[in-house]
Amino acid sequence: MPQYKGWAGEILRVNLSTGSISTEKTAKYKDYIGGMGIGYRIMWDEVPENTDPFDEENKIVFAAGPLTGTGAPCTARTNITSLLPANPQNLIGDSHMGGHFSPEMKYAGYDAIVIEGKAPRPVWLRIEDGNVSLENASKLWGQGIFDTTANIAGMMGKEAQVAAIGQAGENQVNLSTIMTSGNHSAGGHGGIMGSKNLKAIGIVGTQSVEYAADKKDWIELNEFVMSIIGANNQHVVPSTPQPWAEYHDSSSRWTAQEGLYWGAADEEVETGICPPEDTNKIGYRTMKAIKDLGEISEDYTVRMGGCQSCPIRCHSSVEVPELEKYGVSRYVSNTCMGFWNHYYVNQNYETKKDNFLNKTLGAQLADDYGLWFNYGQLGRDLKYAYDNGILKEVLPAEEYNDIPWDLYEKGDPQFLVDLYRRIAYQEGEISHLGDGAAQLAERWNFGEDYWNDQTNSLWSPLGYPVHHANESNGQVGSLINLVFNRDPMCHSHQNFLGSGLPIKLQKEIAAETWGSEDAIDVPANYTPMNRAKARFAKWSLVRNVLHDSMTVCNWMFPMVTSPLKERNYRGDTTLEAQYFSQATGMNVSEKELDEMGRRILTLHRAMTVKQMGTVDMRNEHDQIVDWVFDMDPDKEPFDAGTIKMDRDDMEKAKTMLYQELGWDPETGAPTGETLDELGMQDVKRELANKNLLPYQA
Amino acid sequence: MSEEQTEEEVLNKISKHIRNKSSQGNIVEISELKAMDLELSEEEIDEKVEILKSDDQFNDIRILSGEEGRYIFSDDSMTKKYATMMAKVEEDNLKELIAETVREDSKIYPRPTDIKVFKKSPFYLEDEVLNEVIDQMVEEKDYKDINKVVASNGALYLYSNAHMEEDHAIGLTEWVEVIRKEIP
Amino acid sequence: MSKENEEDKNFMQRSTTRREFLKKSFEGAAGAAVSFSILNLFTDSAEAQGFELADGIVIVDPVKCTGCRRCETNCTAFNDGKAHPYISRIKVGQNYNFGKTGPTINYQNGDGQLGDFTIVGETCRQCESPRCINACPMDAIYVDEKTGARVIDKDSCVGCGRCAVACPYDVPTVDPETEKSTKCTLCEGEPSCAAGCPTGAIRYIAWEDVEHALIEREKLIENN
């Protein structure tokens, strides 16, 4: 793409079966931006439906976008697209990781890496700018992710960035990750690399990423963002009352306050009061460890950390000497569910310290094995199976007796050492916990109560759990949780809902952004579905997909709000379009860029239709388990204090969302008209040939 | 007024002190100014404060009347809301502090109030003191709208039923204290 | 601009070899406190007049550095109008995963994100007697009038890389895209790296703060 900047211009193609390595121009994919867009376009074009994830015919795409590596804030995400082993129909999906991998890929000169085929023996992919080779991985195979990373850096140079699988991926565990830099993991695709005998990708890049903008404009835009940025999840009020702030919210991730320290740092580092205009303190605002690991973790916190280019630093890096007695390093870093997964596995702990050790030890073990937990679901599956006596039935007696259930019943961290090894190495029947919820439920014959118990937190009959669903603005979150083929990694709506501002301001801003105050309800006091909510849901999905294509962090953007009283707490939702225009030189408006997002989201939907072999997305795909409608039996939907939903109302909600997106209002499948509108005539033709376009009157 | 100090010098001295204190999160009670070495009588200080209040040059300097004193702050670095809260802390008017916080939380966000907020910065109330004050308040007529609600993990929250229904408070408390944290 | 004067010629005629002990003495040096041990870097001040001091030097505190690397792309935004960490004059990314030494068998206890989380960023020391200037065959490195920063004249530079080899801190880098060397310019007096650091880990320390100590040290040396 000689006239555009931002993009590196080349996509690396690696055929593991033949060993051939080639490049193609990114230009043909520019309407799909990058990241998820490139991933879906390639999967649509090149991987036929009825392919299984571990088949040689499956491909896996690691992609970045034009913003990646530019140094714009929060632009180091890597989007990985392939089929999903943990989805019972092997539908297409993404995994995502932060860190420093995709910027390095851009600096090496590539917008994406497409892997196909299967190597005859374990290999790793070595990329040093234009020098790309497949290396023998026989020594690396069998190692955990940490050692693999160190070994590759030892061979390539300390500056190498590495994405690797651990034993879980090698053993093709469905719930396995691809991990980079020690603590940034992409969930669900590790086994695909394993099935291809690809152990890792190591990259060293010495080139630049260029932007079209004059440097003065570029620097000014970056500085503007620094002036309106909040804390993690774009929470814009502090968690305690502070002199500079009108509002506060104890749930806010702007946790910096007097008396809160990075307690294990080598100097005294107090997070303190961080007024928004002090841009040299942005990195202290989110002291996340106390959220991830409890207040006990303050004394263990060395510092915060995270992705390249991001000022927020949402990864909690802690030093826990006790971990060494379990045979792992005392230094562990992760964030959010990366720690909470292990609370879900070992819920019977007695003390806060035990919970802390479970979370930190669990993260350390899982991050090295490369285990994924389906957003906490694996732990709940274990609990269900244990509490209902199912494990005693399905496990052979010898295996059952070999597992240290006494440790499980005490929530002893040592239990994780045993369990995670079994899952990573597929040892025994218990290791099927790593299959994914739907497959597991079928294999172990879980009853209806498994799906319909609120505490089990499942959302979809396809086996993925709640992730900012009905608890996040009722219909809006619910709709968002329907569209993908796994739990949605969508925080567009959640960020805004958690901003910390009073409802009056929230409603005003909602009206400005989605057309009406009705787009948001007072939390836990929902109202029936309306058009504005459909617009909010559509916008959230479109932005999420856009971010995964650009690549930009959906935990920070879109910046609907800001911490600035002088801006009346308004943020700026045009930032993505401004960055896209400045980076590439392709001038797009906010609306035009959103349309590109809608294109990519629609392609995702079309691929899902193709794979499922039906247009009836509403009934076959977009389904919700019963507890969501049956919980709180003494209350009605829309009563104050309940988040139960109404079935008819949700069907109406689906119709409205489909309409907003230009999908068939009846079935929720992309229409021929919309596919034409979005420039996907070839997709339309293929669907038409397969009889997979919805009937249009 | 001392011969050596002009009016402007005095006003600058006072406002500088207030601005410094505000930037550190502290409000200034007028008696504090009177205890400073300003070489002014108490009446003269009152007079200077009135000038600061009205003079455009010092339009960041704001005066707040508490129940027992007058408090001065600079809104360059401190919001009125924060200053109001600190005035109550100064006057040890814990019941009003808690009540006003709970009522505002229930009304404008809306959310129930996690009592832990009073144990941290900038309040630092002791457990015993806080629990005693709360127990007293819920019995008193003036605070009859202030009610307790407990999450499933035992955490205590307060809400004002003048602004929030009980059912809503129960649901929200559970959401904020338990459910929301489990879906990180 | 003092590119050529008698004293300079005398200095440059001396053979100056890379001093390993200097490199080691700075290894892992922490933040703002500029002590005598750091001043030992500038031992050449005892031997020669050297050059006019820079207004200050940029130093990274490895306790506060969280590895975001915004400094790198801020540096190249200001100086080069692109995002190019490889040539950034503040280098963090290369030490991010495994520290300055790179991975050892005991990497889990070494520096870096896969170790004990210490991130060591390298910056230009604006040496009083710069080895880069000494090594340059084209006299392409000179002292900026305004800031005292030792900067590269792009017109004279031929990209031979001798400055990169000579520097004990591996700061100058030949830009493969322009074939010119790059080094810290102090961004005309307001270092972009320091201005944009989200944790204030990067500080631009004015020489006035170290000047006194330098003078005292000179006295000590003279009196001995």
Side-chain angles (χ1 to χ4, degrees):
Chain A
M1 260 176 290
Q3 71 271 41
Y4 293 126
K5 306 277 171 94
W7 286 283
E10 306 257 295
I11 292 175
L12 185 65
R13 289 272 189 171
V14 179
N15 185 323
L16 297 174
S17 306
T18 64
S20 104
I21 295 170
S22 60
T23 59
E24 65 170 329
K25 295 284 174 226
T26 312
K28 83 184 228 224
Y29 300 102
K30 75 173 190 323
D31 292 339
Y32 297 85
I33 302 174
M36 181 179 173
I38 290 182
Y40 274 75
R41 192 66 244 194
I42 288 177
M43 292 296 286
W44 174 274
D45 289 342
E46 303 176 23
V47 179
E49 62 272 41
N50 303 317
T51 307
D52 279 346
F54 299 145
D55 285 350
E56 211 170 305
E57 289 71 31
N58 186 22
K59 302 193 183 191
I60 180 167
V61 182
F62 292 76
L67 266 304
T68 315
T70 58
C74 318
T75 53
R77 305 279 298 160
T78 306
N79 195 89
I80 304 174
T81 311
S82 188
L83 304 176
L84 286 167
N87 181 296
Q89 298 187 38
N90 297 323
L91 300 177
I92 190 172
D94 300 299
S95 59
H96 327 76
M97 58 189 190
H100 300 244
F101 185 78
S102 56
E104 200 70 20
M105 182 167 68
K106 291 289 294 284
Y107 300 138
Y110 308 105
D111 295 307
I113 301 168
V114 184
I115 309 279
E116 60 186 282
K118 175 179 173 168
R121 276 168 299 281
V123 296
W124 63 279
L125 181 63
R126 178 175 183 148
I127 301 172
E128 283 162 290
D129 291 329
N131 294 319
V132 183
S133 57
L134 285 166
E135 304 289 322
N136 185 324
S138 54
K139 285 220 173 76
L140 298 175
W141 200 263
Q143 289 183 8
I145 290 171
F146 302 150
D147 281 351
T148 303
T149 306
N151 274 302
I152 290 179
M155 289 186 262
M156 293 185 75
K158 61 182 178 173
E159 70 271 30
Q161 295 297 341
V162 179
I165 56 172
Q167 295 90 345
E170 289 178 9
N171 293 318
Q172 296 173 43
V173 175
N174 288 354
L175 295 183
S176 60
T177 61
I178 300 167
M179 149 80 78
T180 186
S181 245
N183 47 295
H184 298 271
S185 59
H189 288 134
I192 293 171
M193 279 179 68
S195 71
K196 294 182 174 308
N197 269 334
L198 178 63
K199 176 66 173 170
I201 303 175
I203 310 186
V204 170
T206 66
Q207 300 166 58
S208 70
V209 170
E210 293 186 328
Y211 26 85
D214 182 72
K215 73 181 183 193
K216 183 172 162 296
D217 293 334
W218 182 257
I219 291 171
E220 206 173 282
L221 183 55
N222 284 345
E223 286 176 355
F224 174 67
V225 172
M226 292 308 161
S227 74
I228 65 162
I229 201 168
N232 190 210
N233 292 87
Q234 193 57 4
H235 288 175
V236 296
V237 311
S239 63
T240 59
Q242 295 187 8
W244 59 268
E246 274 192 294
Y247 308 111
H248 71 276
D249 180 3
S250 62
S251 301
S252 170
R253 287 178 172 180
W254 194 312
T255 50
Q257 58 192 267
E258 280 175 344
L260 180 65
Y261 294 83
W262 291 355
D266 285 340
E267 294 164 1
E268 186 179 278
V269 180
E270 188 185 26
T271 56
I273 308 280
C274 302
E277 60 272 12
D278 192 341
T279 53
N280 294 123
K281 283 181 139 189
I282 297 175
Y284 296 113
R285 293 178 189 172
T286 300
M287 197 297 193
K288 188 89 178 326
I290 56 171
K291 295 280 187 187
D292 290 336
L293 300 165
E295 291 186 0
I296 189 180
S297 67
E298 182 185 351
D299 289 341
Y300 295 86
T301 304
V302 177
R303 60 167 172 80
M304 297 304 299
C307 308
Q308 191 243 23
S309 78
C310 180
I312 297 298
R313 323 319 290 142
C314 73
H315 273 236
S316 307
S317 301
V318 293
E319 178 182 350
V320 188
E322 292 92 326
L323 293 187
E324 284 172 352
K325 76 172 195 276
Y326 297 97
V328 299
S329 165
R330 61 171 58 197
Y331 300 105
V332 58
S333 186
N334 214 306
T335 195
C336 276
M337 198 47 101
F339 286 120
W340 276 84
N341 278 323
H342 317 290
Y343 151 80
Y344 281 112
V345 173
N346 232 0
Q347 294 184 42
N348 302 318
Y349 60 87
E350 280 151 18
T351 65
K352 287 189 169 141
K353 182 71 183 285
D354 277 344
N355 188 21
F356 172 70
L357 289 176
N358 276 323
K359 285 176 167 179
T360 49
L361 175 62
Q364 197 75 298
L365 293 166
D367 288 350
D368 199 27
Y369 284 134
L371 276 173
W372 191 44
F373 290 77
N374 193 14
Y375 199 63
Q377 192 59 37
L378 189 153
R380 293 187 288 267
D381 292 345
L382 170 65
K383 180 172 165 58
Y384 174 84
Y386 185 81
D387 287 352
N388 287 292
I390 293 172
L391 284 176
K392 263 218 161 105
E393 288 170 23
V394 300
L395 265 49
E398 201 182 314
E399 182 185 336
Y400 186 89
N401 294 328
D402 190 54
I403 295 170
W405 296 115
D406 56 323
L407 296 178
Y408 178 65
E409 284 174 9
K410 287 188 296 183
D412 187 319
Q414 185 66 33
F415 178 72
L416 303 180
V417 178
D418 179 272
L419 179 71
Y420 291 178
R421 189 200 73 246
R422 291 176 195 262
I423 303 175
Y425 286 96
Q426 297 212 323
E427 282 175 20
E429 185 65 30
I430 190 94
S431 73
H432 287 277
L433 282 170
D435 287 358
Q439 289 97 318
L440 184 69
E442 194 185 312
R443 186 184 177 92
W444 288 357
N445 228 343
F446 287 168
E448 278 307 299
D449 60 321
Y450 169 72
W451 296 97
N452 295 324
D453 183 352
Q454 182 188 352
T455 60
N456 226 9
S457 285
L458 281 157
W459 178 261
S460 165
L462 291 170
Y464 38 93
V466 161
H467 193 168
H468 310 313
N470 59 321
E471 76 283 13
S472 295
N473 209 26
Q475 299 91 341
V476 176
S478 299
L479 288 169
I480 289 166
N481 271 254
L482 293 179
V483 172
F484 297 103
N485 297 323
R486 49 159 289 177
D487 67 295
M489 293 296 272
C490 177
H491 295 79
S492 317
H493 62 310
Q494 184 65 5
N495 297 342
F496 174 70
L497 296 169
S499 76
L501 295 170
I503 191 71
K504 180 162 170 293
L505 265 171
Q506 290 276 91
K507 280 189 170 273
E508 278 170 20
I509 295 172
E512 290 160 22
T513 316
W514 306 295
S516 159
E517 292 200 349
D518 294 340
I520 72 161
D521 291 326
V522 165
N525 198 359
Y526 299 139
T527 62
M529 186 59 189
N530 62 62
R531 282 267 158 234
K533 289 186 186 183
R535 279 194 292 272
F536 185 11
K538 171 203 174 187
W539 173 94
S540 299
L541 287 162
V542 163
R543 285 291 165 114
N544 173 244
V545 157
L546 202 59
H547 294 164
D548 286 346
S549 303
M550 289 175 73
T551 62
V552 155
C553 180
N554 188 236
W555 280 260
M556 285 311 301
F557 287 88
M559 294 187 187
V560 181
T561 60
S562 79
L564 301 179
K565 185 173 167 202
E566 54 268 36
R567 283 180 68 89
N568 222 350
Y569 302 99
R570 270 62 171 170
D572 188 339
T573 58
T574 68
L575 290 173
E576 292 95 312
Q578 287 190 57
Y579 267 119
F580 186 87
S581 304
Q582 283 210 22
T584 64
M586 189 197 294
N587 282 324
V588 297
S589 66
E590 186 180 4
K591 250 179 134 179
E592 285 166 339
L593 190 64
D594 281 352
E595 272 299 89
M596 292 173 89
R598 187 169 75 106
R599 171 182 300 128
I600 298 164
L601 183 64
T602 301
L603 181 56
H604 156 85
R605 190 66 154 181
M607 183 86 183
T608 303
V609 163
K610 181 162 96 159
Q611 284 191 284
M612 292 184 82
T614 173
V615 292
D616 192 6
M617 292 288 99
R618 178 190 290 269
N619 293 311
E620 300 294 325
H621 182 276
D622 301 346
Q623 284 298 300
I624 303 172
V625 295
D626 287 332
W627 68 259
V628 177
F629 305 105
D630 299 335
M631 63 185 281
D632 293 346
D634 53 326
K635 289 198 162 60
E636 292 297 310
F638 316 126
D639 280 354
T642 183
I643 58 171
K644 86 190 275 178
M645 306 301 294
D646 177 87
R647 286 180 171 83
D648 289 336
D649 183 78
M650 268 316 296
E651 292 305 318
K652 186 170 161 200
K654 289 180 201 174
T655 307
M656 285 195 193
L657 176 68
Y658 300 158
Q659 286 166 334
E660 286 294 321
L661 284 168
W663 300 347
D664 175 40
E666 183 54 44
T667 60
T671 63
E673 194 184 320
T674 293
L675 291 167
D676 274 336
E677 201 176 86
L678 294 171
M680 293 195 282
Q681 289 81 0
D682 65 313
V683 173
K684 175 179 122 184
R685 270 195 301 276
E686 190 174 336
L687 287 175
N689 289 341
K690 296 176 157 124
N691 235 340
L692 290 174
L693 282 180
Y695 171 72
Q696 295 243 231
Chain B
M1 183 156 59
S2 149
E3 305 285 352
E4 290 89 37
Q5 293 185 97
T6 63
E7 166 109 325
E8 200 181 322
E9 279 170 358
V10 172
L11 291 175
N12 282 334
K13 204 168 171 180
I14 297 176
S15 62
K16 184 170 172 196
H17 178 77
I18 293 167
R19 286 169 182 152
N20 276 345
K21 284 295 203 117
S22 291
S23 72
Q24 290 157 25
N26 298 313
I27 50 177
V28 176
E29 212 284 312
I30 204 159
S31 57
E32 187 184 322
L33 289 178
K34 292 172 181 172
M36 274 170 73
D37 183 20
L38 290 170
E39 295 175 14
L40 293 174
S41 71
E42 289 203 2
E43 292 77 33
E44 283 170 325
I45 287 186
D46 282 334
E47 191 197 302
K48 299 301 166 223
V49 166
E50 287 308 309
I51 294 174
L52 284 175
K53 203 166 134 183
S54 54
D55 188 335
D56 267 347
Q57 214 198 335
F58 304 99
N59 68 4
D60 62 307
I61 306 294
R62 309 273 299 275
I63 324 287
L64 204 67
S65 293
E67 297 213 351
E68 291 166 23
R70 302 182 75 209
Y71 302 95
I72 318 170
F73 65 99
S74 162
D75 71 10
D76 275 350
S77 52
M78 186 184 288
T79 61
K80 182 174 173 208
K81 197 160 282 185
Y82 190 82
T84 309
M85 231 186 270
M86 292 316 286
K88 294 200 169 67
V89 171
E90 281 288 309
E91 294 180 352
D92 208 23
N93 193 345
L94 298 180
K95 288 179 189 165
E96 271 305 301
L97 172 69
I98 292 171
E100 198 166 297
T101 305
V102 172
R103 285 166 184 156
E104 178 167 275
D105 279 358
S106 294
K107 183 176 172 197
I108 75 168
Y109 288 96
R111 64 187 181 216
T113 305
D114 180 358
I115 60 144
K116 289 197 289 291
V117 79
F118 300 110
K119 301 188 199 177
K120 298 198 239 182
S121 168
F123 311 114
Y124 299 116
L125 296 186
E126 300 280 331
D127 272 343
E128 261 176 47
V129 170
L130 179 59
N131 289 330
E132 198 182 310
V133 168
I134 291 174
D135 285 341
Q136 283 174 13
M137 278 172 74
V138 296
E139 300 296 322
E140 286 175 25
K141 191 163 72 83
D142 281 345
Y143 305 110
K144 68 173 169 30
D145 61 312
I146 309 292
N147 290 288
K148 293 183 183 180
V149 55
V150 181
S152 64
N153 63 359
L156 176 62
Y157 279 65
L158 297 170
Y159 73 100
S160 163
N161 67 10
H163 303 289
M164 187 184 287
E165 273 179 57
E166 185 183 8
D167 274 348
H168 195 198
I170 293 171
L172 267 179
T173 298
E174 194 60 18
W175 155 243
V176 169
E177 175 62 25
V178 180
I179 302 174
R180 187 171 172 176
K181 293 176 186 176
E182 290 183 346
I183 311 178
Chain C
M1 248 177 261
S2 57
K3 277 200 226 186
E4 308 265 304
N5 61 42
E6 283 304 301
E7 288 153 332
D8 292 353
K9 278 197 188 124
N10 288 340
F11 173 70
M12 284 187 189
Q13 278 161 7
R14 269 173 251 243
S15 67
T16 311
T17 55
R18 191 164 171 171
R19 298 197 184 193
E20 283 300 324
F21 77 90
L22 280 178
K23 188 177 176 187
K24 282 177 183 146
S25 73
F26 206 84
E27 212 146 77
V34 182
S35 64
F36 269 114
S37 60
I38 292 174
L39 292 172
N40 284 337
L41 295 171
F42 308 108
T43 51
D44 286 325
S45 60
E47 295 168 16
Q49 280 293 315
F51 296 86
E52 209 177 289
L53 294 175
D55 284 356
I57 56 176
V58 171
I59 293 187
V60 192
D61 181 347
V63 173
K64 291 183 175 162
C65 177
T66 61
C68 77
R69 302 170 59 195
R70 289 201 60 72
C71 50
E72 293 180 335
T73 50
N74 282 339
C75 169
T76 61
F78 183 87
N79 288 293
D80 313 285
K82 57 181 177 172
H84 201 174
Y86 180 69
I87 65 162
S88 165
R89 293 88 179 158
I90 175 166
K91 291 182 158 60
V92 177
Q94 64 189 26
N95 301 329
Y96 178 79
N97 283 321
F98 296 104
K100 284 185 59 164
T101 55
T104 63
I105 297 277
N106 191 26
Y107 67 87
Q108 291 186 337
N109 292 305
D111 288 346
Q113 184 63 23
L114 272 89
D116 68 2
F117 303 131
T118 306
I119 307 289
V120 181
E122 285 289 23
T123 54
C124 173
R125 307 321 195 248
Q126 305 295 350
C127 297
E128 194 183 348
S129 300
R131 275 161 193 73
C132 54
I133 291 186
N134 184 50
C136 179
M138 309 305 296
D139 291 339
I141 307 179
Y142 65 94
V143 175
D144 179 83
E145 212 165 52
K146 184 174 158 221
T147 61
R150 285 78 168 101
V151 301
I152 293 173
D153 175 6
K154 296 245 154 80
D155 294 328
S156 309
C157 174
V158 297
C160 72
R162 284 185 209 177
C163 52
V165 171
C167 175
Y169 317 109
D170 297 326
V171 174
T173 311
V174 177
D175 182 344
E177 293 170 2
T178 61
E179 292 182 341
K180 302 283 180 186
S181 188
T182 63
K183 74 168 298 301
C184 178
T185 63
L186 293 179
C187 296
E188 294 167 18
E190 284 184 54
S192 303
C193 53
C197 177
T199 57
I202 306 174
R203 303 213 340 201
Y204 176 40
I205 304 200
W207 265 113
E208 294 90 79
D209 294 326
V210 305
E211 191 183 355
H212 171 77
L214 255 183
I215 291 168
E216 286 302 301
R217 185 178 164 276
E218 289 282 16
K219 284 187 191 160
L220 277 173
I221 290 167
E222 273 174 25
N223 292 340
N224 286 320

